[in-house]
Amino acid sequence: MIYVLVMGPGVVVVDLRLWGKQRGLGGGILYRLVCHGLSAAAAVRVLWRDVLSLRLRERLAAGLGLSEAEACAVLELWASLHDVGKLTPSFRRQGQVPPGCGR
């Protein structure tokens, strides 16, 4: 499955054949790579908003030379990209590819 999303002036293509996680989910559940990245970004946002103290958020933002909102967005981006290596052909060739997924 490939979805095309129109967002703003550009077009974003999301390839749902790319899988990000399967091990440990039980029952043969397959977690698509784009969903895995979005979940990681959402987790960072919740940690930033609900767990980190104001002082720590300020220190992290200052260390990055950004506002607090910008720092949160950058950390969300980094978290969402933590498995970008799973897009590479060498990773795609490893092991068994789950049914319905592209290599």
Side-chain angles (χ1 to χ4, degrees), residues 2 6-7 15 20 28 39 48 52 55 73-74 79 87:
I2 298 177
V6 178
M7 299 177 67
D15 189 341
S39 292
W48 184 269
L52 299 182
R55 180 176 163 89
V74 166
L87 293 170

Side-chain angles (χ1 to χ4, degrees), residues 4-83:
V4 177
L5 306 174
V6 178
M7 299 177 67
V11 174
V12 176
V13 177
V14 178
D15 189 341
L16 293 179
R17 295 173 299 173
L18 301 172
W19 54 282
K21 187 168 180 66
Q22 182 179 33
R23 190 176 318 136
L25 297 179
I29 294 172
L30 183 67
Y31 205 39
R32 306 297 176 171
L33 186 58
V34 67
C35 298
H36 183 54
L38 290 170
S39 292
V44 165
R45 180 172 291 196
V46 169
L47 289 171
W48 184 269
R49 184 189 64 211
D50 299 340
V51 177
L52 299 182
S53 68
L54 174 60
R55 180 176 163 89
L56 183 53
R57 291 193 311 263
E58 289 171 345
R59 290 185 68 195
L60 288 168
L64 293 169
L66 301 170
S67 70
E68 282 188 53
E70 292 167 334
C72 181
V74 166
L75 294 174
E76 289 171 356
L77 174 65
W78 290 347
S80 72
L81 295 175
H82 79 278
D83 271 340

